[in-house]
């Protein structure tokens, strides 16, 4: 951290213009929405085990620590194909309408696109974290805890309760990509959140375990699995393009995997922590 | 599009025309010569069976030591468009509206008397071939009904076991079978099921799983074609069928027919009878986390059942029967253990089992956590 600050101060001294740019408000851009101040009741992602008993992660109010700008709509197939044409992205497995949201992308395809777009524009494009996604999604964010039941003497009670809740929540969803706006806007003006395209986030799967005897907590992170957000939170193997095989605990996989990116406001702002 | 439809109709009509002469011949000659034969069913009691859609099995007695009876069934054939997976439609043909058709239950020595109705709203002739029946191509030659007709067939159930029945119209047999027209008849021994030592095997519930290999044509963009009529689907479907690689392998007619809110249920301590039919293609059911306690792989009850099986084989054109007493609660997956067919093509069912967990049978000694002690 100290080293970074030194670098920063050097930059500050040498390139005043760049600093000013870093502090300047985001330019008005209809394709981006700036999340200035937002809060949401948020469930910590990952799996939580108390001894050998699976429990829900903690839930609580989170709020923006710093504003961020996020795409109003999902990245389209046309956008993605420009990256393919420029050899920045891999060719997808099937054809798609350039006007519709891009689907059938893996986490790595999404990262490659963000990197290419950053090079193209000189801006800092990246996937949102799961927290950022939830803050941007607001009322469209869904808690992924299906049940509070967890009986150490009978693990099947939780399995069955989860299965029943998922089965009840299951609804037929036409997987065909739809034009932007089909699933409406949320209170921030973001389109199609929790529609039929799940969006990759940069957040890794984490398993948290507490040892009830000692109180010791351990965490094991697996970044081979990332969170895709949508109608429900999905833990998805990063290289999957077709989500049908994976994801949610028992049932219902996401319909499609796509993306919407965050435009970072430059390292300078982030170092300042606002 | 108009030309294409015409072509498709043309193909379907050609198939019907090809079928017609043999119908005319066979319709008359093999009619039973009633004269001179005493009616073996005279004086027998008649009971009307109440068929139910699978996976449920009609109410029945497991043991019936009384005199043979005539069990009367009625089935209506229904051609209809169904959805087999999200966004994938299929021109199905069904016995009584379900895939598989309802499971019929009688006892060895009983007479099965079926009235088969082909409503005017249908477009094709249909019939029924009972693998449990003797003669006339399993009854197919005596039951061919055109739209707007019905017929009644009686046959004696002389062999005990689970047997497939299916539609077998001349010239179109495989197409009708892979379009959904199959089911199971369960002919129980009068004394009920027995294990290899002759001790009774009973069950608390019975479920029917009908496995179907479907061959749904795709268009030039790889999208499944949505046809308006069976005739329109015919020619393209036969082309896919001849490739022998199904596009879908599903239980009870569609992906998810036996999962979620449609999952089978049981309680710990209950014995469940699983009847698994596959009219066209071999398969291999497996109960993940459970077993087959007593399994009649070939479905025929005068052979001793195999015990403690992990996976059992169902020959195409037959039905297997397995019992399992659930010992542990939870969600069980009942799959075709060609797992590609189970996970990618649809052949997965679930059994939701409630009850008390046995730590003797299984316990998680240490939950997943960081690697230690190395």
């Amino acid at each position: 951290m100290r080293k970074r600050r030194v670098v920063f101060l050097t930059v500050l001294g040498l390139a005043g213009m760049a600093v000013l740019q870093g502090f300047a408000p985001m330019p008005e851009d209809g394709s981006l929405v700036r999340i200035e101040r937002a809060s949401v009741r948020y469930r910590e992602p990952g799996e939580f085990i108390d001894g050998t008993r699976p429990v829900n992660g903690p839930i609580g109010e989170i709020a923006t620590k710093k504003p961020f700008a996020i795409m109003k709509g999902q990245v389209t197939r046309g956008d993605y194909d420009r990256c393919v044409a420029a050899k920045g992205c891999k060719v997808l497995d099937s054809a798609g309408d350039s006007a519709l949201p891009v689907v059938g992308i893996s986490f790595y395809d999404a990262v490659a696109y963000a990197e290419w777009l950053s090079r193209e524009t000189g801006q800092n494009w990246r996937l949102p974290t799961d927290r950022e996604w939830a803050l941007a999604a607001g009322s469209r964010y869904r808690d992924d805890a299906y049940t509070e039941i967890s009986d150490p003497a009978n693990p099947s009670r939780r399995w069955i309760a989860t299965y029943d809740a998922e089965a009840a929540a299951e609804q037929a969803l036409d997987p065909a990509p739809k034009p932007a706006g089909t699933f409406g806007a949320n209170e921030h003006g973001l389109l199609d959140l929790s529609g039929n395209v799940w969006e990759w986030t940069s957040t890794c799967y984490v398993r948290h375990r507490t040892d009830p005897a000692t109180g010791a907590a351990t965490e094991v992170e697996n970044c081979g699995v990332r969170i895709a957000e949508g109608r429900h939170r999905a833990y998805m193997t990063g290289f999957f393009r077709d989500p049908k095989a994976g994801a949610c605990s028992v049932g219902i996989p996401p319909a499609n995997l796509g993306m919407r990116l965050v435009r970072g406001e430059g390292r300078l702002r982030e170092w300042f922590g606002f | 599009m108009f030309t294409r439809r015409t072509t498709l109709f043309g193909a379907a009509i050609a198939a019907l025309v090809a079928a017609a002469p043999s119908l005319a011949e066979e319709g008359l000659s093999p009619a039973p010569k009633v004269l001179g034969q005493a009616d073996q069913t005279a004086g027998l009691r008649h009971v009307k069976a109440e068929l139910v859609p699978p996976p449920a099995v009609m109410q029945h007695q497991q043991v019936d030591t009384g005199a043979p009876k005539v069990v009367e069934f009625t089935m209506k054939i229904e051609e209809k468009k169904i959805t087999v997976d999200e966004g994938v439609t299929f021109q199905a043909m069904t016995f009584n509206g379900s895939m598989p058709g309802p499971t019929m239950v009688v006892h060895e020595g009983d007479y099965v008397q079926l009235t088969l109705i082909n409503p005017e709203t249908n477009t094709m002739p249909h019939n029924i071939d009972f693998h449990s029946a003797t003669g006339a191509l399993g009854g197919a030659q005596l039951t061919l009904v055109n739209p707007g007709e019905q017929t009644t067939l009686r046959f004696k159930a002389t062999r005990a076991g689970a047997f497939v029945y299916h539609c077998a119209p001349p010239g179109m047999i495989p197409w009708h079978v892979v379009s959904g027209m199959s089911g199971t008849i369960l002919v129980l021994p009068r004394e009920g099921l027995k294990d290899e030592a002759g001790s009774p095997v009973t069950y608390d519930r019975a479920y029917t799983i009908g496995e179907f290999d479907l061959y749904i044509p795709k268009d030039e963009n790889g999208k499944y074609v949505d046809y308006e009529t069976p005739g329109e689907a015919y020619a393209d479907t036969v082309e896919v069928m001849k490739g022998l690689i199904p596009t879908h392998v599903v239980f009870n007619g569609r992906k998810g027919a036996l999962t979620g809110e449609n999952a089978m249920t049981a309680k710990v301590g209950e014995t469940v009878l699983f009847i698994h039919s596959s009219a066209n293609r071999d398969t291999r059911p497996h109960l993940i986390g459970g077993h087959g306690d007593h399994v009649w792989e070939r479905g025929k009850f005068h052979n001793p059942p195999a015990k403690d099986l992990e996976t059992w084989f169902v020959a195409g054109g037959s039905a297997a029967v397995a019992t399992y007493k659930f010992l542990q609660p939870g969600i069980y997956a009942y799959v075709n253990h060609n797992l590609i067919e189970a996970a990618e093509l649809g052949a997965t069912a679930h059994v939701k089992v409630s009850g008390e967990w046995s730590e003797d049978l299984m316990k998680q000694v240490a939950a997943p956590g960081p690697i230690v002690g190395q």
Side-chain angles (χ1 to χ4, degrees):
Chain A
M1 203 61 197
R2 168 171 296 192
K3 203 171 175 185
R4 279 185 165 191
R5 299 259 175 179
V6 173
V7 175
F8 162 64
L9 288 171
T10 314
V11 172
L12 185 66
L14 293 177
M17 284 309 290
V19 174
L20 286 176
Q21 216 168 9
F23 280 100
M26 296 295 296
E28 283 301 313
D29 184 341
S31 67
L32 286 179
V33 171
R34 194 168 153 85
I35 308 293
E36 295 276 357
R37 191 176 286 274
S39 65
V40 69
R41 197 166 152 77
Y42 178 76
R43 175 85 61 187
E44 289 299 325
E47 266 187 279
F48 291 78
I49 302 174
D50 178 14
T52 61
R53 193 171 70 98
V55 292
N56 295 332
I59 190 166
E61 199 84 354
I62 62 164
T64 40
K65 285 190 178 142
K66 55 176 188 274
F68 59 94
I70 186 164
M71 289 178 174
K72 181 177 174 183
Q74 292 160 338
V75 172
T76 67
R77 180 62 190 257
D79 296 333
Y80 186 87
D81 283 345
R82 275 191 287 285
C83 176
V84 173
K87 307 242 184 296
C89 292
K90 288 188 177 160
V91 175
L92 297 183
D93 299 331
S94 55
D97 185 330
S98 63
L100 300 179
V102 63
V103 296
I105 59 164
S106 70
F107 169 77
Y108 303 102
D109 293 327
V111 168
Y113 177 79
E115 287 172 354
W116 171 79
L117 189 63
S118 300
R119 286 197 301 274
E120 279 298 292
T121 58
Q123 298 167 331
N124 173 23
W125 294 95
R126 58 174 176 80
L127 287 172
T129 64
D130 189 65
R131 278 179 174 248
E132 285 170 333
W133 193 93
L135 286 166
S139 58
R140 297 284 183 106
Y141 167 78
R142 294 278 176 274
D143 180 14
D144 69 340
Y146 281 102
T147 179
E148 293 296 329
I149 293 173
S150 185
D151 179 352
N154 189 346
S156 76
R157 289 190 62 215
R158 186 173 178 86
W159 302 334
I160 291 172
T162 304
Y163 186 82
D164 286 346
E166 287 191 344
E170 194 168 358
Q171 46 188 228
L173 186 60
D174 176 2
K178 298 283 188 285
T182 300
F183 296 95
N186 76 348
E187 63 274 25
H188 302 302
L190 268 70
L191 300 177
D192 304 320
L193 290 152
S194 304
N196 68 358
V197 178
W198 271 247
E199 299 171 15
W200 285 106
T201 76
S202 59
T203 300
C204 300
Y205 166 90
V206 187
R207 195 199 305 272
H208 306 260
R209 180 163 175 255
T210 315
D211 184 337
T214 63
T218 58
E219 275 184 12
V220 177
E221 190 177 60
N222 175 7
C223 287
V225 173
R226 304 279 171 152
I227 296 174
E229 278 287 6
R231 280 176 186 239
H232 56 263
R233 186 184 265 163
Y235 301 98
M236 184 67 57
T237 299
F239 57 76
F240 278 12
R241 285 176 160 180
D242 178 354
K244 286 208 179 110
C248 322
S249 42
V250 188
I252 352 156
N256 294 294
L257 293 170
M259 66 176 143
R260 142 183 1 240
L261 300 180
V262 163
R263 189 166 75 183
E265 306 204 346
R267 296 226 164 122
L268 303 177
R269 286 185 82 99
E270 287 177 8
W271 282 342
F272 272 120
F274 64 95
Chain B
M1 192 59 197
F2 186 74
T3 318
R4 179 181 164 79
R5 281 185 184 225
T6 313
T7 314
L8 288 166
F9 277 123
I13 290 161
L16 296 183
V17 170
S22 67
L23 302 186
E25 277 167 30
E26 288 159 12
L28 296 174
S29 56
K33 289 180 182 157
V34 212
L35 286 178
Q37 285 195 20
D39 181 358
Q40 302 294 320
T41 67
L44 294 187
R45 87 197 140 101
H46 282 238
V47 293
K48 277 197 165 52
E50 299 224 4
L51 292 171
V52 293
V57 175
M58 60 178 269
Q59 282 202 337
H60 62 274
Q61 289 177 277
Q62 295 181 36
V63 174
D64 181 1
T65 50
K69 56 196 184 294
V70 179
V71 187
E72 298 176 7
F73 297 89
T74 301
M75 287 206 283
K76 200 181 276 185
I77 290 154
E78 205 181 322
E79 298 169 7
K80 61 178 178 184
K81 181 150 100 174
I82 63 168
T83 298
V84 300
D85 193 3
E86 274 165 23
V88 184
T89 65
F90 180 62
Q91 286 291 337
M93 309 176 201
T94 66
F95 287 106
N96 249 24
S98 62
M99 286 172 65
T103 293
M104 308 161 74
V105 186
V106 300
H107 289 81
E108 191 179 352
D110 285 347
Y111 294 84
V112 176
Q113 185 166 312
L114 170 71
T115 298
L116 187 64
I117 302 169
N118 188 358
E120 259 179 52
T121 44
N122 287 341
T123 61
M124 275 176 294
H126 298 283
N127 62 3
I128 191 162
D129 166 1
F130 282 102
H131 287 187
S132 51
T134 306
L137 305 180
Q141 283 177 305
L142 302 179
T143 52
L144 197 96
V145 276
N146 289 296
E149 294 182 325
Q150 71 172 52
T151 183
T152 300
L153 176 78
R154 190 183 73 211
F155 73 89
K156 189 171 186 178
T158 54
R159 292 160 201 270
F163 293 84
V164 160
Y165 65 76
H166 63 87
C167 190
M172 299 187 284
I173 299 173
W175 180 42
H176 280 231
V177 171
V178 301
S179 294
M181 294 193 83
S182 70
T184 300
I185 180 165
L186 190 65
V187 182
L188 291 167
R190 297 211 87 83
E191 307 282 339
L193 302 179
K194 299 277 174 65
D195 68 12
E196 73 294 343
S199 304
V201 172
T202 60
Y203 45 91
D204 302 297
R205 300 165 189 255
Y207 287 117
T208 286
I209 296 100
E211 185 165 337
F212 290 87
D213 43 326
L214 306 178
Y215 304 82
I216 306 181
K218 291 179 185 170
D219 66 16
E220 57 280 10
N221 298 320
K223 194 174 178 318
Y224 289 107
V225 183
D226 176 52
Y227 295 101
E228 282 313 309
T229 66
E232 206 182 313
Y234 173 71
D236 292 356
T237 304
V238 170
E239 278 313 302
V240 183
M241 283 160 56
K242 288 195 290 194
L244 296 176
I245 300 175
T247 54
H248 299 78
V249 178
V250 294
F251 295 154
N252 293 20
R254 67 186 169 87
K255 198 173 168 185
L258 298 174
T259 63
E261 288 178 333
N262 309 312
M264 297 177 278
T265 58
K267 295 190 179 77
V268 168
E270 283 184 339
T271 297
V272 177
L273 186 84
F274 292 101
I275 304 162
H276 193 115
S277 70
S278 185
N280 191 61
R281 191 166 170 275
D282 302 342
T283 185
R284 55 210 70 71
H286 172 95
L287 180 65
I288 301 179
H291 301 93
D293 288 338
H294 294 95
V295 183
W296 290 269
E297 271 199 310
R298 313 313 298 265
K300 307 307 170 274
F301 298 130
H302 291 310
N303 303 294
K307 294 182 74 172
D308 303 327
L309 296 196
E310 58 186 299
T311 300
W312 42 102
F313 181 72
V314 185
S318 78
V321 177
T323 64
Y324 181 61
K325 181 178 179 180
F326 282 93
L327 304 173
Q328 198 78 296
I331 307 293
Y332 289 71
Y334 178 99
V335 299
N336 168 343
H337 210 285
N338 178 327
L339 297 169
I340 303 163
E341 298 184 1
E344 301 289 337
L345 301 190
T348 296
H350 292 147
V351 190
K352 202 167 76 178
V353 181
S354 56
E356 289 311 307
W357 180 261
S358 164
E359 282 198 355
D360 182 38
L361 285 171
M362 188 178 282
K363 179 177 169 62
Q364 185 180 47
V365 178
I371 297 167
V372 290
Q374 282 196 350

